[in-house]
PDB file of all heavy atoms in Angstrom:
ATOM      1  N   PHE A   1    -201.588  45.024-165.226  1.00  0.00           N
ATOM      2  CA  PHE A   1    -201.483  44.423-166.552  1.00  0.00           C
ATOM      3  C   PHE A   1    -201.945  42.972-166.524  1.00  0.00           C
ATOM      4  O   PHE A   1    -202.668  42.513-167.414  1.00  0.00           O
ATOM      5  CB  PHE A   1    -200.033  44.528-167.052  1.00  0.00           C
ATOM      6  CG  PHE A   1    -199.837  44.059-168.449  1.00  0.00           C
ATOM      7  CD1 PHE A   1    -200.359  44.767-169.514  1.00  0.00           C
ATOM      8  CD2 PHE A   1    -199.137  42.893-168.715  1.00  0.00           C
ATOM      9  CE1 PHE A   1    -200.191  44.329-170.813  1.00  0.00           C
ATOM     10  CE2 PHE A   1    -198.959  42.443-169.998  1.00  0.00           C
ATOM     11  CZ  PHE A   1    -199.488  43.163-171.060  1.00  0.00           C
ATOM     12  N   GLY A   2    -201.571  42.238-165.487  1.00  0.00           N
ATOM     13  CA  GLY A   2    -202.016  40.851-165.340  1.00  0.00           C
ATOM     14  C   GLY A   2    -203.520  40.739-165.184  1.00  0.00           C
ATOM     15  O   GLY A   2    -204.149  39.848-165.752  1.00  0.00           O
ATOM     16  N   ILE A   3    -204.117  41.655-164.418  1.00  0.00           N
ATOM     17  CA  ILE A   3    -205.574  41.651-164.233  1.00  0.00           C
ATOM     18  C   ILE A   3    -206.278  41.926-165.558  1.00  0.00           C
ATOM     19  O   ILE A   3    -207.275  41.275-165.892  1.00  0.00           O
ATOM     20  CB  ILE A   3    -205.985  42.671-163.155  1.00  0.00           C
ATOM     21  CG1 ILE A   3    -205.531  42.190-161.771  1.00  0.00           C
ATOM     22  CG2 ILE A   3    -207.494  42.910-163.168  1.00  0.00           C
ATOM     23  CD1 ILE A   3    -205.685  43.225-160.672  1.00  0.00           C
ATOM     24  N   VAL A   4    -205.755  42.866-166.344  1.00  0.00           N
ATOM     25  CA  VAL A   4    -206.364  43.181-167.638  1.00  0.00           C
ATOM     26  C   VAL A   4    -206.287  41.979-168.574  1.00  0.00           C
ATOM     27  O   VAL A   4    -207.277  41.628-169.235  1.00  0.00           O
ATOM     28  CB  VAL A   4    -205.695  44.427-168.268  1.00  0.00           C
ATOM     29  CG1 VAL A   4    -206.092  44.589-169.715  1.00  0.00           C
ATOM     30  CG2 VAL A   4    -206.051  45.673-167.480  1.00  0.00           C
ATOM     31  N   ILE A   5    -205.142  41.320-168.632  1.00  0.00           N
ATOM     32  CA  ILE A   5    -204.995  40.126-169.483  1.00  0.00           C
ATOM     33  C   ILE A   5    -205.944  39.018-169.026  1.00  0.00           C
ATOM     34  O   ILE A   5    -206.598  38.359-169.845  1.00  0.00           O
ATOM     35  CB  ILE A   5    -203.534  39.626-169.461  1.00  0.00           C
ATOM     36  CG1 ILE A   5    -202.596  40.670-170.056  1.00  0.00           C
ATOM     37  CG2 ILE A   5    -203.386  38.290-170.172  1.00  0.00           C
ATOM     38  CD1 ILE A   5    -202.726  40.873-171.525  1.00  0.00           C
ATOM     39  N   TYR A   6    -206.039  38.811-167.713  1.00  0.00           N
ATOM     40  CA  TYR A   6    -206.931  37.786-167.156  1.00  0.00           C
ATOM     41  C   TYR A   6    -208.390  38.070-167.512  1.00  0.00           C
ATOM     42  O   TYR A   6    -209.119  37.170-167.953  1.00  0.00           O
ATOM     43  CB  TYR A   6    -206.736  37.727-165.639  1.00  0.00           C
ATOM     44  CG  TYR A   6    -207.695  36.800-164.933  1.00  0.00           C
ATOM     45  CD1 TYR A   6    -207.497  35.427-164.961  1.00  0.00           C
ATOM     46  CD2 TYR A   6    -208.798  37.303-164.251  1.00  0.00           C
ATOM     47  CE1 TYR A   6    -208.377  34.567-164.318  1.00  0.00           C
ATOM     48  CE2 TYR A   6    -209.683  36.455-163.608  1.00  0.00           C
ATOM     49  CZ  TYR A   6    -209.464  35.095-163.649  1.00  0.00           C
ATOM     50  OH  TYR A   6    -210.350  34.264-163.014  1.00  0.00           O
ATOM     51  N   GLU A   7    -208.821  39.305-167.337  1.00  0.00           N
ATOM     52  CA  GLU A   7    -210.221  39.656-167.634  1.00  0.00           C
ATOM     53  C   GLU A   7    -210.509  39.597-169.132  1.00  0.00           C
ATOM     54  O   GLU A   7    -211.605  39.218-169.539  1.00  0.00           O
ATOM     55  CB  GLU A   7    -210.559  41.040-167.082  1.00  0.00           C
ATOM     56  CG  GLU A   7    -210.610  41.097-165.575  1.00  0.00           C
ATOM     57  CD  GLU A   7    -211.700  40.223-164.970  1.00  0.00           C
ATOM     58  OE1 GLU A   7    -212.712  39.929-165.636  1.00  0.00           O
ATOM     59  OE2 GLU A   7    -211.535  39.823-163.805  1.00  0.00           O
ATOM     60  N   LYS A   8    -209.541  39.969-169.965  1.00  0.00           N
ATOM     61  CA  LYS A   8    -209.726  39.863-171.414  1.00  0.00           C
ATOM     62  C   LYS A   8    -209.919  38.398-171.805  1.00  0.00           C
ATOM     63  O   LYS A   8    -210.772  38.069-172.635  1.00  0.00           O
ATOM     64  CB  LYS A   8    -208.511  40.458-172.131  1.00  0.00           C
ATOM     65  CG  LYS A   8    -208.526  40.317-173.631  1.00  0.00           C
ATOM     66  CD  LYS A   8    -209.537  41.196-174.281  1.00  0.00           C
ATOM     67  CE  LYS A   8    -209.375  41.132-175.791  1.00  0.00           C
ATOM     68  NZ  LYS A   8    -210.397  41.852-176.495  1.00  0.00           N
ATOM     69  N   ASN A   9    -209.150  37.512-171.199  1.00  0.00           N
ATOM     70  CA  ASN A   9    -209.298  36.079-171.455  1.00  0.00           C
ATOM     71  C   ASN A   9    -210.676  35.586-171.014  1.00  0.00           C
ATOM     72  O   ASN A   9    -211.322  34.802-171.717  1.00  0.00           O
ATOM     73  CB  ASN A   9    -208.189  35.304-170.743  1.00  0.00           C
ATOM     74  CG  ASN A   9    -208.173  33.847-171.123  1.00  0.00           C
ATOM     75  OD1 ASN A   9    -208.484  33.488-172.254  1.00  0.00           O
ATOM     76  ND2 ASN A   9    -207.818  33.003-170.181  1.00  0.00           N
ATOM     77  N   ASN A  10    -211.149  36.056-169.854  1.00  0.00           N
ATOM     78  CA  ASN A  10    -212.488  35.684-169.392  1.00  0.00           C
ATOM     79  C   ASN A  10    -213.566  36.161-170.356  1.00  0.00           C
ATOM     80  O   ASN A  10    -214.530  35.440-170.634  1.00  0.00           O
ATOM     81  CB  ASN A  10    -212.760  36.249-167.999  1.00  0.00           C
ATOM     82  CG  ASN A  10    -212.100  35.441-166.913  1.00  0.00           C
ATOM     83  OD1 ASN A  10    -211.664  34.321-167.140  1.00  0.00           O
ATOM     84  ND2 ASN A  10    -212.019  36.016-165.733  1.00  0.00           N
ATOM     85  N   LEU A  11    -213.427  37.396-170.868  1.00  0.00           N
ATOM     86  CA  LEU A  11    -214.414  37.907-171.828  1.00  0.00           C
ATOM     87  C   LEU A  11    -214.399  37.084-173.113  1.00  0.00           C
ATOM     88  O   LEU A  11    -215.452  36.839-173.705  1.00  0.00           O
ATOM     89  CB  LEU A  11    -214.151  39.374-172.143  1.00  0.00           C
ATOM     90  CG  LEU A  11    -214.473  40.374-171.052  1.00  0.00           C
ATOM     91  CD1 LEU A  11    -214.233  41.789-171.555  1.00  0.00           C
ATOM     92  CD2 LEU A  11    -215.895  40.236-170.564  1.00  0.00           C
ATOM     93  N   GLU A  12    -213.219  36.683-173.560  1.00  0.00           N
ATOM     94  CA  GLU A  12    -213.131  35.838-174.758  1.00  0.00           C
ATOM     95  C   GLU A  12    -213.854  34.513-174.533  1.00  0.00           C
ATOM     96  O   GLU A  12    -214.548  34.011-175.422  1.00  0.00           O
ATOM     97  CB  GLU A  12    -211.672  35.595-175.137  1.00  0.00           C
ATOM     98  CG  GLU A  12    -210.946  36.803-175.653  1.00  0.00           C
ATOM     99  CD  GLU A  12    -211.400  37.244-177.033  1.00  0.00           C
ATOM    100  OE1 GLU A  12    -211.992  36.432-177.778  1.00  0.00           O
ATOM    101  OE2 GLU A  12    -211.178  38.415-177.362  1.00  0.00           O
ATOM    102  N   ASN A  13    -213.712  33.941-173.339  1.00  0.00           N
ATOM    103  CA  ASN A  13    -214.402  32.686-173.026  1.00  0.00           C
ATOM    104  C   ASN A  13    -215.914  32.874-172.981  1.00  0.00           C
ATOM    105  O   ASN A  13    -216.670  32.030-173.471  1.00  0.00           O
ATOM    106  CB  ASN A  13    -213.905  32.119-171.699  1.00  0.00           C
ATOM    107  CG  ASN A  13    -212.495  31.600-171.785  1.00  0.00           C
ATOM    108  OD1 ASN A  13    -212.011  31.261-172.861  1.00  0.00           O
ATOM    109  ND2 ASN A  13    -211.824  31.566-170.645  1.00  0.00           N
ATOM    110  N   VAL A  14    -216.366  33.976-172.397  1.00  0.00           N
ATOM    111  CA  VAL A  14    -217.808  34.238-172.300  1.00  0.00           C
ATOM    112  C   VAL A  14    -218.403  34.430-173.687  1.00  0.00           C
ATOM    113  O   VAL A  14    -219.465  33.880-174.001  1.00  0.00           O
ATOM    114  CB  VAL A  14    -218.074  35.467-171.403  1.00  0.00           C
ATOM    115  CG1 VAL A  14    -219.520  35.925-171.519  1.00  0.00           C
ATOM    116  CG2 VAL A  14    -217.745  35.157-169.958  1.00  0.00           C
ATOM    117  N   ILE A  15    -217.744  35.201-174.541  1.00  0.00           N
ATOM    118  CA  ILE A  15    -218.303  35.434-175.871  1.00  0.00           C
ATOM    119  C   ILE A  15    -218.232  34.163-176.722  1.00  0.00           C
ATOM    120  O   ILE A  15    -219.098  33.918-177.563  1.00  0.00           O
ATOM    121  CB  ILE A  15    -217.652  36.638-176.573  1.00  0.00           C
ATOM    122  CG1 ILE A  15    -218.612  37.177-177.627  1.00  0.00           C
ATOM    123  CG2 ILE A  15    -216.332  36.289-177.186  1.00  0.00           C
ATOM    124  CD1 ILE A  15    -218.381  38.580-178.033  1.00  0.00           C
ATOM    125  N   SER A  16    -217.241  33.335-176.477  1.00  0.00           N
ATOM    126  CA  SER A  16    -217.181  32.047-177.171  1.00  0.00           C
ATOM    127  C   SER A  16    -218.361  31.164-176.761  1.00  0.00           C
ATOM    128  O   SER A  16    -218.968  30.497-177.615  1.00  0.00           O
ATOM    129  CB  SER A  16    -215.857  31.356-176.855  1.00  0.00           C
ATOM    130  OG  SER A  16    -215.802  30.105-177.465  1.00  0.00           O
ATOM    131  N   ASP A  17    -218.693  31.171-175.479  1.00  0.00           N
ATOM    132  CA  ASP A  17    -219.869  30.428-175.002  1.00  0.00           C
ATOM    133  C   ASP A  17    -221.149  30.980-175.623  1.00  0.00           C
ATOM    134  O   ASP A  17    -222.052  30.222-175.989  1.00  0.00           O
ATOM    135  CB  ASP A  17    -219.974  30.493-173.481  1.00  0.00           C
ATOM    136  CG  ASP A  17    -218.865  29.728-172.781  1.00  0.00           C
ATOM    137  OD1 ASP A  17    -218.214  28.900-173.452  1.00  0.00           O
ATOM    138  OD2 ASP A  17    -218.661  29.968-171.570  1.00  0.00           O
ATOM    139  N   ALA A  18    -221.234  32.309-175.748  1.00  0.00           N
ATOM    140  CA  ALA A  18    -222.424  32.927-176.340  1.00  0.00           C
ATOM    141  C   ALA A  18    -222.572  32.542-177.809  1.00  0.00           C
ATOM    142  O   ALA A  18    -223.676  32.260-178.276  1.00  0.00           O
ATOM    143  CB  ALA A  18    -222.345  34.452-176.197  1.00  0.00           C
ATOM    144  N   VAL A  19    -221.466  32.509-178.528  1.00  0.00           N
ATOM    145  CA  VAL A  19    -221.513  32.107-179.939  1.00  0.00           C
ATOM    146  C   VAL A  19    -221.940  30.645-180.057  1.00  0.00           C
ATOM    147  O   VAL A  19    -222.748  30.287-180.918  1.00  0.00           O
ATOM    148  CB  VAL A  19    -220.143  32.346-180.613  1.00  0.00           C
ATOM    149  CG1 VAL A  19    -220.086  31.694-181.983  1.00  0.00           C
ATOM    150  CG2 VAL A  19    -219.860  33.827-180.716  1.00  0.00           C
ATOM    151  N   THR A  20    -221.435  29.805-179.164  1.00  0.00           N
ATOM    152  CA  THR A  20    -221.830  28.397-179.166  1.00  0.00           C
ATOM    153  C   THR A  20    -223.327  28.249-178.901  1.00  0.00           C
ATOM    154  O   THR A  20    -224.012  27.452-179.566  1.00  0.00           O
ATOM    155  CB  THR A  20    -221.033  27.614-178.114  1.00  0.00           C
ATOM    156  OG1 THR A  20    -219.645  27.757-178.390  1.00  0.00           O
ATOM    157  CG2 THR A  20    -221.397  26.141-178.129  1.00  0.00           C
ATOM    158  N   LEU A  21    -223.843  29.016-177.934  1.00  0.00           N
ATOM    159  CA  LEU A  21    -225.285  28.982-177.658  1.00  0.00           C
ATOM    160  C   LEU A  21    -226.084  29.420-178.888  1.00  0.00           C
ATOM    161  O   LEU A  21    -227.106  28.812-179.221  1.00  0.00           O
ATOM    162  CB  LEU A  21    -225.623  29.882-176.473  1.00  0.00           C
ATOM    163  CG  LEU A  21    -225.225  29.377-175.092  1.00  0.00           C
ATOM    164  CD1 LEU A  21    -225.462  30.461-174.052  1.00  0.00           C
ATOM    165  CD2 LEU A  21    -226.004  28.127-174.737  1.00  0.00           C
ATOM    166  N   TYR A  22    -225.618  30.478-179.572  1.00  0.00           N
ATOM    167  CA  TYR A  22    -226.320  30.963-180.756  1.00  0.00           C
ATOM    168  C   TYR A  22    -226.301  29.916-181.871  1.00  0.00           C
ATOM    169  O   TYR A  22    -227.307  29.693-182.541  1.00  0.00           O
ATOM    170  CB  TYR A  22    -225.698  32.275-181.246  1.00  0.00           C
ATOM    171  CG  TYR A  22    -226.370  32.821-182.467  1.00  0.00           C
ATOM    172  CD1 TYR A  22    -227.612  33.433-182.372  1.00  0.00           C
ATOM    173  CD2 TYR A  22    -225.782  32.700-183.718  1.00  0.00           C
ATOM    174  CE1 TYR A  22    -228.250  33.920-183.501  1.00  0.00           C
ATOM    175  CE2 TYR A  22    -226.406  33.181-184.845  1.00  0.00           C
ATOM    176  CZ  TYR A  22    -227.639  33.794-184.735  1.00  0.00           C
ATOM    177  OH  TYR A  22    -228.274  34.273-185.850  1.00  0.00           O
ATOM    178  N   GLU A  23    -225.166  29.279-182.046  1.00  0.00           N
ATOM    179  CA  GLU A  23    -225.063  28.250-183.093  1.00  0.00           C
ATOM    180  C   GLU A  23    -225.907  27.019-182.773  1.00  0.00           C
ATOM    181  O   GLU A  23    -226.284  26.278-183.679  1.00  0.00           O
ATOM    182  CB  GLU A  23    -223.602  27.854-183.291  1.00  0.00           C
ATOM    183  CG  GLU A  23    -222.793  28.944-183.951  1.00  0.00           C
ATOM    184  CD  GLU A  23    -221.317  28.630-184.028  1.00  0.00           C
ATOM    185  OE1 GLU A  23    -220.865  27.671-183.359  1.00  0.00           O
ATOM    186  OE2 GLU A  23    -220.618  29.346-184.758  1.00  0.00           O
ATOM    187  N   ASN A  24    -226.201  26.804-181.484  1.00  0.00           N
ATOM    188  CA  ASN A  24    -227.059  25.681-181.094  1.00  0.00           C
ATOM    189  C   ASN A  24    -228.539  26.034-181.120  1.00  0.00           C
ATOM    190  O   ASN A  24    -229.369  25.249-180.693  1.00  0.00           O
ATOM    191  CB  ASN A  24    -226.669  25.170-179.706  1.00  0.00           C
ATOM    192  CG  ASN A  24    -225.347  24.443-179.724  1.00  0.00           C
ATOM    193  OD1 ASN A  24    -224.940  23.911-180.741  1.00  0.00           O
ATOM    194  ND2 ASN A  24    -224.662  24.438-178.592  1.00  0.00           N
ATOM    195  N   GLY A  25    -228.878  27.233-181.591  1.00  0.00           N
ATOM    196  CA  GLY A  25    -230.276  27.598-181.801  1.00  0.00           C
ATOM    197  C   GLY A  25    -230.937  28.357-180.666  1.00  0.00           C
ATOM    198  O   GLY A  25    -232.160  28.540-180.694  1.00  0.00           O
ATOM    199  N   GLU A  26    -230.190  28.829-179.681  1.00  0.00           N
ATOM    200  CA  GLU A  26    -230.784  29.617-178.591  1.00  0.00           C
ATOM    201  C   GLU A  26    -231.168  31.000-179.110  1.00  0.00           C
ATOM    202  O   GLU A  26    -230.542  31.541-180.020  1.00  0.00           O
ATOM    203  CB  GLU A  26    -229.792  29.768-177.427  1.00  0.00           C
ATOM    204  CG  GLU A  26    -229.447  28.480-176.735  1.00  0.00           C
ATOM    205  CD  GLU A  26    -230.594  27.908-175.931  1.00  0.00           C
ATOM    206  OE1 GLU A  26    -231.471  28.667-175.495  1.00  0.00           O
ATOM    207  OE2 GLU A  26    -230.617  26.681-175.751  1.00  0.00           O
ATOM    208  N   SER A  27    -232.194  31.579-178.507  1.00  0.00           N
ATOM    209  CA  SER A  27    -232.608  32.922-178.915  1.00  0.00           C
ATOM    210  C   SER A  27    -231.640  33.959-178.348  1.00  0.00           C
ATOM    211  O   SER A  27    -230.912  33.712-177.392  1.00  0.00           O
ATOM    212  CB  SER A  27    -234.029  33.211-178.418  1.00  0.00           C
ATOM    213  OG  SER A  27    -234.029  33.343-177.019  1.00  0.00           O
ATOM    214  N   LEU A  28    -231.660  35.140-178.963  1.00  0.00           N
ATOM    215  CA  LEU A  28    -230.752  36.206-178.530  1.00  0.00           C
ATOM    216  C   LEU A  28    -231.061  36.659-177.110  1.00  0.00           C
ATOM    217  O   LEU A  28    -230.156  36.992-176.345  1.00  0.00           O
ATOM    218  CB  LEU A  28    -230.821  37.381-179.503  1.00  0.00           C
ATOM    219  CG  LEU A  28    -230.344  37.078-180.931  1.00  0.00           C
ATOM    220  CD1 LEU A  28    -230.475  38.316-181.808  1.00  0.00           C
ATOM    221  CD2 LEU A  28    -228.931  36.567-180.950  1.00  0.00           C
ATOM    222  N   ASP A  29    -232.335  36.685-176.732  1.00  0.00           N
ATOM    223  CA  ASP A  29    -232.708  37.077-175.364  1.00  0.00           C
ATOM    224  C   ASP A  29    -232.195  36.068-174.337  1.00  0.00           C
ATOM    225  O   ASP A  29    -231.729  36.442-173.261  1.00  0.00           O
ATOM    226  CB  ASP A  29    -234.222  37.217-175.237  1.00  0.00           C
ATOM    227  CG  ASP A  29    -234.750  38.410-176.012  1.00  0.00           C
ATOM    228  OD1 ASP A  29    -233.991  39.394-176.155  1.00  0.00           O
ATOM    229  OD2 ASP A  29    -235.909  38.361-176.468  1.00  0.00           O
ATOM    230  N   THR A  30    -232.289  34.793-174.655  1.00  0.00           N
ATOM    231  CA  THR A  30    -231.782  33.755-173.750  1.00  0.00           C
ATOM    232  C   THR A  30    -230.276  33.892-173.574  1.00  0.00           C
ATOM    233  O   THR A  30    -229.760  33.784-172.455  1.00  0.00           O
ATOM    234  CB  THR A  30    -232.113  32.354-174.301  1.00  0.00           C
ATOM    235  OG1 THR A  30    -233.511  32.258-174.534  1.00  0.00           O
ATOM    236  CG2 THR A  30    -231.658  31.269-173.338  1.00  0.00           C
ATOM    237  N   ILE A  31    -229.581  34.147-174.666  1.00  0.00           N
ATOM    238  CA  ILE A  31    -228.129  34.326-174.599  1.00  0.00           C
ATOM    239  C   ILE A  31    -227.777  35.534-173.746  1.00  0.00           C
ATOM    240  O   ILE A  31    -226.894  35.485-172.900  1.00  0.00           O
ATOM    241  CB  ILE A  31    -227.539  34.460-176.019  1.00  0.00           C
ATOM    242  CG1 ILE A  31    -227.732  33.159-176.800  1.00  0.00           C
ATOM    243  CG2 ILE A  31    -226.068  34.847-175.967  1.00  0.00           C
ATOM    244  CD1 ILE A  31    -227.406  33.268-178.258  1.00  0.00           C
TER     245      ILE A  31
END
């Protein structure tokens, strides 16, 4: 259960970074 919560948090951070890259004008392929 702890591993699942930890990995879910990591995925949330990664997708947040991807959204930030998209909002800064990066292309979808670069993201």
Side-chain angles (χ1 to χ4, degrees):
F1 185 69
I3 290 170
V4 168
I5 296 290
Y6 174 78
E7 291 297 335
K8 176 71 173 174
N9 188 34
N10 282 345
L11 288 183
E12 291 289 339
N13 290 337
V14 168
I15 203 158
S16 178
D17 292 343
V19 169
T20 302
L21 286 172
Y22 180 75
E23 289 174 347
N24 289 334
E26 295 290 334
S27 70
L28 296 179
D29 291 330
T30 305
I31 295 170

